[in-house]
């Protein structure tokens, strides 16, 4: 395994962990009943959810970049 592959492996584990720690944004009962009265209400993300959202965004971009690099590494160096 090369460097991009290790980064992809670590990033995928971090993405699974962060997604498990994030709180759900909707009530479960409103999903089953179809009641979305708060669907278009402006809600500001606060607390640890801000950190989790930003961390997920950064790790996702890193994950995508490393996959592109890993798939094209043979073309660049050989």
């Amino acid at each position: 395994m090369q460097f991009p592959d290790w980064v992809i492996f670590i990033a995928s584990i971090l993405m699974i962990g962060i997604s498990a720690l994030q709180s759900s944004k909707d009530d479960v009962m409103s999903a089953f009943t179809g009641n979305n009265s708060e669907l278009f209400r402006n809600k500001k993300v606060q607390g640890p959810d801000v950190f989790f959202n930003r961390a997920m965004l950064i790790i996702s971009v890193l994950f995508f970049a490393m996959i592109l690099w890993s798939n094209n590494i043979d073309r660049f160096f050989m």
Side-chain angles (χ1 to χ4, degrees):
M1 285 178 59
Q2 296 178 350
F3 175 72
D5 300 326
W6 284 107
V7 175
I8 291 168
F9 178 69
I10 294 169
S12 63
I13 291 172
L14 287 174
M15 287 171 62
I16 291 169
I18 289 173
S19 65
L21 290 174
Q22 284 181 333
S23 63
S24 65
K25 305 209 182 342
D26 292 330
D27 185 24
V28 176
M29 287 306 295
S30 67
F32 289 119
T33 60
N35 183 12
N36 280 332
S37 62
E38 298 182 21
L39 180 63
F40 298 107
R41 185 177 291 177
N42 292 331
K43 292 183 180 179
K44 186 173 182 179
V45 181
Q46 299 176 353
D49 288 335
V50 174
F51 172 76
F52 290 140
N53 286 345
R54 290 179 183 164
M56 190 65 140
L57 176 68
I58 292 169
I59 293 172
S60 299
V61 169
L62 178 69
F63 182 80
F64 184 71
M66 287 296 123
I67 287 180
L68 290 177
W69 185 19
S70 177
N71 288 335
N72 293 322
I73 203 162
D74 294 334
R75 294 181 197 164
F76 291 138
F77 296 113
M78 291 184 184

